[in-house]
Amino acid sequence: MRIVLLGPPGSGKGTQAQKLGRNLGLPHVGMGDMLREALKNRTSLGERAKEFMDSGKLVPDSIILELLGERLEGTKEGFILDGFPRTLEQAKRLGALLEKERENLDAVINLKVREETILRRLPGRLVCSECGKVYQRANLSSSTQRCPSCGAPLLSRTDDVSDTLKKRIEIYLEHTHPLIDYYKKKGILQDVSGEGNPQEVFDRIVKILN
Ligand code: AMP
C-alpha cells in the first residue's frame, strides 16, 4: 500500500504515519524526520537544509529529492509518506517516480484541523531525541523530561516557535493546500478529521482505509 498523509503543521501527520506504519508493517517515510536526522548527523545535505528549516521555509527540491530517492529505493512493498509532497511540483515528481515502477498511490489522507487546534498543539509539542515519538506537554506528568517509550530526552522543535510557525502555516496555505484539489481530481483523496486524541484520529483513518 502506498499512502500519503496531507495536512497543515500540527495536524498529526507524523504521529499518524508512525502508527499506520507500525500497524500495516510498512515503512514510515517522514520527510521532516529525514531532514532533522541529516541535520543531527551534520551531513552536507543537512547543513544545506538548516537555514530553510530554521526559518520555516521549504527546503529546495534538489535536497528533498535526493533524500527521498534514496529512502524510497527500499520500499517495494509500499510506504506511508508524510511531509512529501508539499508542492504541486513535488506531487508531479512523486507521480513520475511511481509511474516508472508501474505503481500508483492507493490513498491520500487529508487531516483536517481547526486553526485554533494547530496553535494549541504546536507550542506544546515535545519530540523524543532518539525514537522521534511525539508528545503533548499537557499529556505528560509535569516532571517528565524523558520519553515514556525509550527514556531518551524530550525536546521542543526549534521551528515550533511563533514566527517560524506563522511562516510554516503561510507556506502550507500557499503551496501545500492546492494539493487537496489535485488529489481530489485523481479520486484518491480522503478527508479525515484530525481533531481529538491520536487514537481517535487513527481509528477514523483505519475505518476509511478498510
Ligand atoms: P515537518 O517535520 O514535516 O513539519 O517539516 C519540517 C521542515 O522541514 C519544514 O518546515 C520544511 O522546512 C522542511 N520540509 C519538510 N518536508 C519538506 C518538503 N517536502 N519540501 C520542502 N521542505 C520540506
Side-chain angles (χ1 to χ4, degrees):
M1 245 188 161
R2 290 168 181 77
I3 299 171
V4 164
L5 288 180
L6 274 188
S11 56
K13 296 184 297 295
T15 303
Q16 296 302 326
Q18 277 180 0
K19 269 171 103 59
L20 271 176
R22 278 199 302 274
N23 205 266
L24 300 175
L26 291 173
H28 164 213
V29 180
M31 187 51 72
D33 296 334
M34 287 194 282
L35 287 163
R36 281 184 289 278
E37 188 65 19
L39 230 134
K40 194 166 122 188
N41 295 333
R42 296 174 176 269
T43 67
S44 70
L45 281 183
E47 299 284 334
R48 274 153 55 207
K50 183 175 172 12
E51 61 166 294
F52 299 95
M53 294 176 77
D54 282 349
S55 53
K57 291 183 189 151
L58 291 176
V59 172
D61 279 355
S62 55
I63 300 176
I64 294 293
L65 295 169
E66 195 173 330
L67 276 173
L68 184 80
E70 282 169 16
R71 183 68 179 89
L72 286 190
E73 264 172 27
T75 60
K76 292 272 176 263
E77 74 285 15
F79 51 72
I80 313 290
L81 199 45
D82 109 68
F84 187 94
R86 260 179 155 98
T87 64
L88 276 175
E89 182 55 35
Q90 290 182 358
K92 288 177 187 162
R93 290 286 193 131
L94 177 63
L97 266 173
L98 292 175
E99 210 170 285
K100 242 173 50 189
E101 305 290 325
R102 298 175 192 277
E103 300 292 355
N104 280 310
L105 286 177
D106 295 290
V108 176
I109 305 287
N110 178 37
L111 289 176
K112 296 178 79 161
V113 283
R114 293 190 299 264
E115 194 176 336
E116 64 191 75
T117 304
I118 298 175
L119 296 176
R120 175 174 43 78
R121 277 184 188 168
L122 289 182
R125 172 157 75 176
L126 290 170
V127 185
C128 175
S129 53
E130 274 309 311
C131 71
K133 280 205 174 132
V134 181
Y135 300 95
Q136 276 297 313
R137 204 185 298 270
N139 297 340
L140 296 168
S141 76
S142 58
S143 57
T144 309
Q145 301 290 326
R146 299 202 162 255
C147 175
S149 177
C150 76
L154 295 175
L155 304 172
S156 293
R157 270 175 50 172
T158 50
D159 58 353
D160 277 348
V161 292
S162 69
D163 280 357
T164 315
L165 197 54
K166 238 175 87 189
K167 184 79 197 161
R168 285 164 58 213
I169 294 170
E170 270 171 36
I171 290 206
Y172 165 79
L173 291 173
E174 186 181 343
H175 296 283
T176 313
H177 193 266
L179 294 183
I180 295 176
D181 262 358
Y182 177 80
Y183 285 121
K184 206 177 263 175
K185 283 189 186 129
K186 290 187 179 291
I188 52 173
L189 188 97
Q190 301 284 351
D191 284 327
V192 174
S193 165
E195 299 288 342
N197 69 44
Q199 188 60 44
E200 288 167 343
V201 179
F202 183 70
D203 291 343
R204 287 178 204 130
I205 295 177
V206 169
K207 200 165 162 194
I208 279 195
L209 290 178
N210 283 337

